[in-house]
């Protein structure tokens, strides 16, 4: 047996998966609370001891890990036009596994400079202008960022004619800078891979901020990568397949967490209806978005605010709950983010599931594109912004609030289109799969060394829920 040990250091749990690569099977799994306040090795060691007990040994061919234990990589991005370079910048940051807190467009203002200071990001992705195009906005924004009294790195991925000058401005302000290729070198054409690689490299430098991860890194056979990047790579592999193993085709995946909801789509996103054209940039086949105000614990109050904005009565009626139950559960979760809807709190399980369902619905609408009717000299046409995901075949649900729910299908059904969603281009009739073993991140790690085994394990592990 060739056993790989795959570890995901999460903000709440450290999850360890042992895989037999030769037989393409998960042979052991354990999790322990992430001991981030003391030393992550304490929780890691506890989970490894359980793995050793299940296997009867602790010999591993390879050890790999991903982490979001330090809260993930907090990023802001900026570009010239909201629907073009600013959007390209955000796509690059999200695809690298970062938590994109804010995206700016046009020239940064004094108020936005103060906001950046308050956010205190780990990295800023500075873009703007096609190659040979507008230089003024990129250089103005470099000057504003250089004056921000905070320590963070800046990746310059804008107009190459202004990149070197922008770097000098930022370095004079004490900022560490990296220049890479423009995220939009030509109008409407994306080139996000160089920026994605630069973000990944800076993540490796930042991830050691979690206590003890520097010691973990020493025993790993590969550099620690962001957990969302591992999930991204697992989803892309499962969708596309490779030369040896067929994938599932177009799919979406939802990772519902305590602080965020991450959404992944592996689909071309091209218009599926007649007389339609794409307005803005054509988004990539592999896309990730992260919703920082849609989470099951740390962002539960923000999620509740979104529900109130769209109509609390509609929420209560749709999910069979009421204001008193919702308020009580909110108060419990605010006092103790580790509270689970079991045992003494079992009476709130339907409330927790209602929040989870709405988190899926809101994040799905934000991720998908939308259509609107426009009138042109050629007649009525459909203007599509973003990706058309109506024909996506599979939707995968992951995260404790989904996996441990009494009726996970009722939660994940909100990833599909309903009349309430208006003109959102969500999947019409997808099959719903469940990541019951919470193995997406582990399979992303495995995909770098044994992709065929990773595909087979995911196909075997993800069960359709009726």
């Amino acid at each position: 047996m060739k056993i790989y040990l795959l570890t995901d250091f999460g903000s709440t749990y450290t999850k360890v998966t042992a895989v037999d690569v030769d037989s393409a099977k998960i042979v052991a799994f354990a999790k322990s609370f992430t001991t981030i306040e003391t030393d992550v090795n304490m929780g890691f060691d506890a989970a490894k001891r359980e793995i050793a007990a299940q296997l009867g040994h602790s010999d591993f061919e390879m050890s790999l890990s991903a982490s979001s234990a330090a809260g993930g990589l907090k990023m802001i991005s900026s570009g010239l036009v909201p629907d073009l370079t600013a959007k390209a910048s955000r796509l690059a940051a999200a695809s690298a596994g970062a938590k994109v807190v804010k995206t700016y467009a046009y020239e940064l203002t004094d108020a936005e400079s103060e906001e950046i200071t308050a956010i205190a990001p780990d990295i800023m992705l500075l873009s703007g202008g096609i190659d040979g195009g507008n230089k003024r906005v990129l250089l103005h924004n470099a000057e504003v960022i250089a004056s921000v009294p905070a320590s963070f790195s800046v990746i310059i991925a804008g107009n190459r004619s202004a990149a070197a000058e922008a770097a000098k401005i930022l370095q004079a302000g004490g900022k560490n800078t990296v220049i890479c290729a423009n995220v939009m070198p030509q109008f409407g054409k994306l080139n996000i891979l160089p920026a994605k690689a630069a973000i990944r490299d800076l993540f490796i430098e930042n991830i050691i901020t979690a206590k003890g991860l520097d010691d973990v890194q020493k025993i790993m056979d590969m550099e620690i990568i962001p957990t969302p990047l591992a999930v991204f790579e697992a989803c892309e592999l499962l969708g596309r397949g490779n030369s040896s193993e067929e994938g599932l085709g177009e799919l979406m995946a939802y990772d519902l967490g305590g602080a965020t909801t991450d959404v992944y789509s592996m689909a071309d996103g091209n218009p599926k209806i007649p007389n339609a054209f794409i307005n803005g940039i054509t988004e990539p086949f592999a896309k990730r978005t992260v919703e920082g105000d849609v989470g099951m614990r740390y962002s539960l109050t923000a999620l509740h605010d979104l529900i109130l904005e769209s109509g609390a009565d509609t929420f209560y009626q749709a999910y069979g709950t009421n204001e008193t139950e919702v308020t009580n559960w909110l108060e419990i979760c605010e006092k103790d983010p580790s509270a689970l809807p079991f045992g003494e709190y079992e009476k709130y399980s339907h409330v927790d599931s209602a929040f989870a369902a709405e988190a899926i619905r809101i994040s799905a609408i934000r991720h998908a594109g939308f259509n609107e009717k426009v009138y042109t000299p050629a007649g009525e046409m459909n203007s599509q912004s973003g990706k058309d995901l109506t024909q996506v075949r599979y939707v995968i649900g992951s995260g404790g609030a989904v996996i441990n729910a009494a009726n996970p299908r009722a939660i994940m059904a909100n990833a599909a289109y309903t009349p309430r969603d208006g003109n959102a281009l969500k999947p019409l009739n997808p099959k719903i799969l469940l990541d019951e073993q919470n193995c997406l991140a582990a399979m992303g790690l495995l995909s770098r060394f044994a992709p065929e085994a990773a595909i087979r394990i995911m196909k075997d592990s993800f069960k359709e829920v009726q």
Side-chain angles (χ1 to χ4, degrees), residues 19 47 56 72 78 119 177 234 280 285 393:
V19 169
S78 76
I119 291 172
T177 62
F285 174 89
R393 297 174 58 197

Side-chain angles (χ1 to χ4, degrees), residues 321-343:
T321 185
N322 57 59
E323 183 178 0
T324 301
E325 291 178 332
V326 168
T327 301
N328 289 344
W329 185 235
L330 270 174
E331 290 176 352
I332 290 168
C333 293
E334 285 176 0
K335 290 177 182 177
D336 180 12
S338 65
L340 297 174
F342 305 107

Side-chain angles (χ1 to χ4, degrees), residues 75 123-127 153-158 170 176-181 194-200 202:
M75 283 195 64
I123 301 174
M124 180 163 189
L125 181 57
L126 175 61
S127 67
S153 297
V154 181
I155 296 172
I156 302 169
L170 289 161
N176 176 46
T177 62
V178 176
I179 297 176
C180 66
K196 180 177 177 179
I199 295 166
R200 181 200 61 213
L202 286 174

Side-chain angles (χ1 to χ4, degrees), residues 128-136 138-139 156-169 179-182 184-185:
I130 62 172
D131 287 343
N134 184 295
K135 296 165 59 174
R136 180 178 55 82
L138 186 71
L139 296 176
I156 302 169
N159 183 352
R160 68 180 183 183
S161 301
E165 187 176 348
K168 289 179 181 178
I169 294 169
I179 297 176
C180 66
N182 196 344
M184 185 176 285

Side-chain angles (χ1 to χ4, degrees), residues 287-308:
K287 174 186 173 183
R288 169 186 177 247
T289 53
V290 53
E291 306 304 335
D293 57 347
V294 180
M296 293 302 294
R297 288 301 177 267
Y298 300 102
S299 302
L300 193 60
T301 300
L303 174 57
H304 183 241
D305 290 342
L306 293 172
I307 290 168
L308 294 179

Side-chain angles (χ1 to χ4, degrees), residues 19 26 108 118 139 166 186 217 220 240 270 272 314 392 411 413 429:
V19 169
I26 294 174
L108 291 169
L139 296 176
Q186 300 173 32
Q217 181 66 85
M220 293 295 153
R240 293 184 188 273
N270 293 330
K272 303 298 189 294
T314 300
V392 163
I411 294 173
N429 189 31

Side-chain angles (χ1 to χ4, degrees), residues 389-395 409 415-417 426-432 464:
L389 302 172
T390 54
Q391 302 305 307
V392 163
R393 297 174 58 197
Y394 297 98
V395 168
R409 180 176 177 80
Y417 179 82
K426 294 167 60 179
L428 293 176
N429 189 31
K431 293 182 179 180
I432 296 173
E464 184 176 357

Side-chain angles (χ1 to χ4, degrees), residues 128-462:
I130 62 172
D131 287 343
N134 184 295
K135 296 165 59 174
R136 180 178 55 82
V137 171
L138 186 71
L139 296 176
H140 167 86
N141 289 348
E143 290 177 354
V144 173
I145 296 163
S147 68
V148 172
S151 178
F152 54 86
S153 297
V154 181
I155 296 172
I156 302 169
N159 183 352
R160 68 180 183 183
S161 301
E165 187 176 348
K168 289 179 181 178
I169 294 169
L170 289 161
Q171 288 163 2
K175 300 292 188 289
N176 176 46
T177 62
V178 176
I179 297 176
C180 66
N182 196 344
V183 293
M184 185 176 285
Q186 300 173 32
F187 184 81
K189 180 180 179 181
L190 286 177
N191 181 35
I192 63 177
L193 290 181
K196 180 177 177 179
I199 295 166
R200 181 200 61 213
D201 291 343
L202 286 174
F203 172 87
I204 293 165
E205 296 177 15
N206 279 271
I207 193 61
I208 305 304
T209 55
K211 296 175 183 177
L213 269 180
D214 51 346
D215 291 327
V216 172
Q217 181 66 85
K218 294 172 185 175
I219 62 172
M220 293 295 153
D221 294 296
M222 182 186 77
E223 291 174 321
I224 298 171
I225 64 171
T227 297
L229 177 58
V231 176
F232 187 99
E233 293 181 356
C235 292
E236 186 169 16
L237 177 65
L238 183 60
R240 293 184 188 273
N242 66 6
S243 58
S244 302
E245 191 76 25
E246 185 178 356
L248 291 180
E250 296 195 344
L251 59 85
M252 294 184 71
Y254 293 78
D255 189 0
L256 182 53
T260 66
T261 297
D262 290 11
V263 186
Y264 305 80
S265 63
M266 305 297 144
D268 64 35
N270 293 330
K272 303 298 189 294
I273 58 175
N275 298 322
F277 65 92
I278 294 178
N279 180 20
I281 62 175
T282 300
E283 295 188 352
F285 174 89
K287 174 186 173 183
R288 169 186 177 247
T289 53
V290 53
E291 306 304 335
D293 57 347
V294 180
M296 293 302 294
R297 288 301 177 267
Y298 300 102
S299 302
L300 193 60
T301 300
L303 174 57
H304 183 241
D305 290 342
L306 293 172
I307 290 168
L308 294 179
E309 288 176 11
S310 61
D313 289 340
T314 300
F315 175 77
Y316 300 148
Q317 292 169 10
Y319 302 112
T321 185
N322 57 59
E323 183 178 0
T324 301
E325 291 178 332
V326 168
T327 301
N328 289 344
W329 185 235
L330 270 174
E331 290 176 352
I332 290 168
C333 293
E334 285 176 0
K335 290 177 182 177
D336 180 12
S338 65
L340 297 174
F342 305 107
E344 62 176 313
Y345 297 136
E346 187 173 2
K347 64 181 179 180
Y348 294 109
S349 61
H350 67 294
V351 181
D352 202 58
S353 291
F355 274 120
E358 199 65 3
I360 295 296
R361 192 186 74 85
I362 292 170
S363 58
I365 290 173
R366 291 180 177 179
H367 183 94
F370 62 91
N371 258 341
E372 57 183 346
K373 298 289 185 183
V374 295
Y375 296 91
T376 72
E380 183 181 89
M381 298 192 72
N382 292 286
S383 173
Q384 176 182 314
S385 298
K387 296 174 75 170
D388 185 336
L389 302 172
T390 54
Q391 302 305 307
V392 163
R393 297 174 58 197
Y394 297 98
V395 168
I396 302 166
S398 188
V402 174
I403 296 169
N404 299 318
N407 188 353
R409 180 176 177 80
I411 294 173
M412 292 307 304
N414 290 274
Y417 179 82
T418 68
R420 184 184 173 194
D421 299 324
N423 58 358
L425 297 171
K426 294 167 60 179
L428 293 176
N429 189 31
K431 293 182 179 180
I432 296 173
L433 309 179
L434 205 60
D435 177 18
E436 290 181 319
Q437 294 179 285
N438 222 359
C439 70
L440 271 172
M443 293 306 101
L445 291 168
L446 184 63
S447 70
R448 296 190 167 203
F449 296 91
E452 291 82 8
I455 296 175
R456 291 200 296 271
I457 290 171
M458 286 189 282
K459 284 182 177 179
D460 291 341
S461 300
F462 298 161

